[in-house]
């Protein structure tokens, strides 16, 4: 037994850190979880506005085709199956269905069969480059010029604060393309939301774990690290290394929440905005996720404004363009040399993760770290 009071210092009470702590605690190891925020859950934190559970940092739908990961989450909290539906307000002011499917193609071009839709798409893609190198080229190669201009371009430029021609192509590969009349946004086998919000999930993940909130790791860095055999760091990797190679770029969101005095305000949970009339990128109605308060007489809309991250904000999205990835490669090399520190999560790895992959990554990293500790 080590003389140190903890086996793991876990910096960050988000999904990666909480999952790691849960697994280690289950094995009888001692964990200290710290977070500079005053709540656990990271960007999955659920707050309450009136009677409605609100996803404080934007809507999160848990989805996976990995039964092991789904069963892991479902063993902790009640998961309500949920089919996510979204629409887009196009650059021309017309609402159309997402993801791109036969409803979308019919609304735009008047086509009625998959064959007609594919023929039109082939014409639309005619000027696309063979090897797309950026988001604009990739989008046109996937959905053609019309859909790119109406339903992709302005949304992504507002979201990322950069021209689509300067954004990496992989960002657009997350948008499904279907030739059926199916508005279910995700094709994963398991899709759901915890009943009552994600806070219940974190209560279970962190049960029996010592958690200290409102603690800034960087103000007490050496003192905290000296108390544990190994550190799990989930914060910004460039901050950990004192910005030695310069600052990485992140995007964040500003939210405007509105209580509306009607049972429902939107036909679906999310409407993205591709117009220049509005600065926000999308509107979310949380009641579509809120199974416990479906009969409430009011609803909550959240408008999301994408802005460039500055100190004091919450860094939500890494900007994985060529410049930033070159900088991150140097930080990644330093991280690999930190023998008693594991870097995990969206900010520490400068990588966009959905929820199921981050759980899988935390569990895998735990097994790897445990092998080195024993």
């Amino acid at each position: 037994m080590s003389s140190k009071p903890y086996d793991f210092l876990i910096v960050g009470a988000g999904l990666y850190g909480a999952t790691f702590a849960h697994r280690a605690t289950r094995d009888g190891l001692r964990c200290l979880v710290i977070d500079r925020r005053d709540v656990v859950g990271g960007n999955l934190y659920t707050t309450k506005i009136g009677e409605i559970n609100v996803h404080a940092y934007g809507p999160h739908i848990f989805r996976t085709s990995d039964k092991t990961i789904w069963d892991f989450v479902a063993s902790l909290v009640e998961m309500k199956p949920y089919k996510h539906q979204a629409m887009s307000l196009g650059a021309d002011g017309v609402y159309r269905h997402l993801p791109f499917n036969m409803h979308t193609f019919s609304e735009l071009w008047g086509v009625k069969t998959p064959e007609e839709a594919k023929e039109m798409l082939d014409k639309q893609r005619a000027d696309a480059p063979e090897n797309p190198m950026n988001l604009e080229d990739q989008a046109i190669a996937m959905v053609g010029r019309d859909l790119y201009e109406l339903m992709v371009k302005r949304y992504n430029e507002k979201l990322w604060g950069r021209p689509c021609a300067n954004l990496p192509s992989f960002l657009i590969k997350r948008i499904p393309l279907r030739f059926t009349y199916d508005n279910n946004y995700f094709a994963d086998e398991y899709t759901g939301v915890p009943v009552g919000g994600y806070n219940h999930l974190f209560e279970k993940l962190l049960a029996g774990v010592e958690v200290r909130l409102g603690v800034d790791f960087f103000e007490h860095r050496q003192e905290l690290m000296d108390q544990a055999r190994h550190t799990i760091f989930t914060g910004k990797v460039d901050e950990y290394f004192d910005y030695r190679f310069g600052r990485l770029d992140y995007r964040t969101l500003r939210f405007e929440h509105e209580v509306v005095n009607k049972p429902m305000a939107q036909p679906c949970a999310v409407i993205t905005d591709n117009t220049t009339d509005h600065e926000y990128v999308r509107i979310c109605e949380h009641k579509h996720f809120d199974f416990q308060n479906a009969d409430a007489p009011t609803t909550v809309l959240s408008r999301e404004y994408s802005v460039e991250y500055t100190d004091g904000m919450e860094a939500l999205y890494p900007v994985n363009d060529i410049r930033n990835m070159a900088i991150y490669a140097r930080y990644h090399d330093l991280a690999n040399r930190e023998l008693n520190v594991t870097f995990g999560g969206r900010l520490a790895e400068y990588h966009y993760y959905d929820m199921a992959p981050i759980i899988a990554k935390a569990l895998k990293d735990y097994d790897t770290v445990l092998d080195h500790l024993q």
Side-chain angles (χ1 to χ4, degrees):
M1 177 70 70
S2 169
S3 60
K4 295 190 175 186
Y6 304 102
D7 295 296
F8 294 108
L9 167 68
I10 300 174
V11 183
L15 190 56
Y16 181 98
T19 300
F20 196 104
H22 175 82
R23 184 70 177 84
T25 301
R26 196 181 73 178
D27 283 351
L29 297 173
R30 303 154 300 169
C31 298
L32 171 61
V33 175
I34 65 170
D35 201 297
R36 62 171 50 154
R37 301 184 194 184
D38 59 3
V39 295
V40 301
N43 298 333
L44 295 177
Y45 176 68
T46 304
T47 189
K48 200 94 167 179
I49 298 180
E51 300 179 52
I52 309 302
N53 292 312
V54 172
H55 297 202
Y57 296 94
H60 289 84
I61 299 97
F62 192 89
R63 59 191 183 89
T64 183
S65 292
D66 186 331
K67 189 175 187 301
T68 301
I69 298 298
W70 177 262
D71 288 346
F72 171 80
V73 174
S75 71
L76 298 170
V77 291
E78 180 184 358
M79 294 293 288
K80 182 76 172 181
Y82 168 78
K83 289 187 176 181
H84 185 54
Q85 298 194 27
M87 298 188 74
S88 171
L89 178 59
D92 56 355
V94 176
Y95 289 93
R96 298 184 180 88
H97 285 85
L98 292 173
F100 299 128
N101 65 59
M102 285 303 300
H103 286 291
T104 321
F105 307 143
S106 178
E107 290 160 351
L108 180 58
W109 297 316
V111 298
K112 293 181 171 56
T113 67
E115 291 73 22
E116 291 174 341
K118 291 176 182 178
E119 181 179 350
M120 180 61 77
L121 280 168
D122 286 341
K123 293 178 181 177
Q124 290 278 316
R125 297 163 171 157
D127 62 345
E130 291 186 10
N131 297 306
M133 299 300 293
N134 55 56
L135 189 151
E136 179 173 293
D137 292 345
Q138 181 66 49
I140 295 171
M142 286 179 63
V143 302
R145 180 67 64 175
D146 285 354
L147 284 169
Y148 168 69
E149 294 289 348
L150 291 172
M151 300 176 67
V152 175
K153 177 178 169 63
R154 289 171 180 82
Y155 169 79
N156 278 280
E157 291 185 343
K158 285 194 287 187
L159 180 64
W160 296 105
R162 292 155 176 78
C164 286
N166 294 344
L167 291 168
S169 61
F170 79 83
L171 291 174
I172 206 65
K173 292 179 181 178
R174 300 180 70 243
I175 296 182
L177 181 66
R178 301 197 189 110
F179 294 95
T180 60
Y181 288 91
D182 181 5
N183 294 325
N184 183 13
Y185 197 89
F186 300 118
D188 303 82
E189 188 171 354
Y190 307 100
T191 309
V193 177
V195 174
Y198 284 94
N199 294 356
H200 295 311
L201 173 60
F202 283 88
E203 289 170 5
K204 294 299 181 67
L205 286 172
L206 294 171
V209 179
E210 183 177 347
V211 179
R212 299 181 193 172
L213 300 176
V215 176
D216 190 327
F217 168 74
F218 296 101
E219 291 181 2
H220 311 279
R221 180 173 182 156
Q222 199 57 54
E223 175 189 349
L224 288 165
M225 293 182 72
D226 285 345
Q227 296 183 60
R229 298 165 65 195
H230 195 90
T231 296
I232 307 299
F233 183 77
T234 70
K236 292 162 49 190
V237 65
D238 54 346
E239 186 176 15
Y240 181 91
F241 291 109
D242 300 317
Y243 306 107
R244 187 178 309 179
F245 304 124
R247 290 175 178 260
L248 293 166
D249 291 329
Y250 303 88
R251 297 290 289 181
T252 190
L253 295 171
R254 176 174 62 84
F255 299 91
E256 286 184 358
H257 305 299
E258 178 189 4
V259 177
V260 180
N261 291 318
K262 59 174 65 175
M264 296 295 284
Q266 294 186 167
C268 57
V270 173
I271 297 178
T272 64
D273 192 289
N274 284 273
T275 72
T276 55
D277 298 333
H278 310 123
E279 293 183 9
Y280 54 78
V281 293
R282 63 181 179 178
I283 305 178
C284 171
E285 184 173 14
H286 300 269
K287 204 171 184 181
H288 289 272
F289 313 120
D290 191 6
F291 315 105
Q292 294 182 322
N293 295 298
D295 296 329
T298 60
T299 188
V300 176
L301 297 178
S302 295
R303 292 172 178 83
E304 300 179 9
Y305 299 80
S306 180
V307 295
E308 199 76 11
Y309 167 84
T310 59
D311 288 344
M313 296 179 172
E314 297 295 344
L316 299 183
Y317 304 105
V319 181
N320 299 114
D321 58 17
I322 294 173
R323 171 192 168 275
N324 282 291
M325 292 310 294
I327 295 173
Y328 170 67
R330 302 179 74 184
Y331 285 124
H332 180 64
D333 183 59
L334 288 182
N336 285 338
R337 301 179 197 174
E338 294 279 301
L339 298 181
N340 294 316
V341 182
T342 295
F343 294 79
R346 185 181 294 192
L347 302 182
E349 298 180 66
Y350 205 67
H351 177 77
Y352 185 92
Y353 279 107
D354 285 317
M355 286 180 281
I358 205 66
I359 289 176
K361 182 68 164 50
L363 295 174
K364 180 180 178 181
D365 287 352
Y366 170 76
D367 290 335
T368 300
V369 172
L370 193 63
D371 287 341
H372 290 299
L373 284 182
Q374 293 177 342

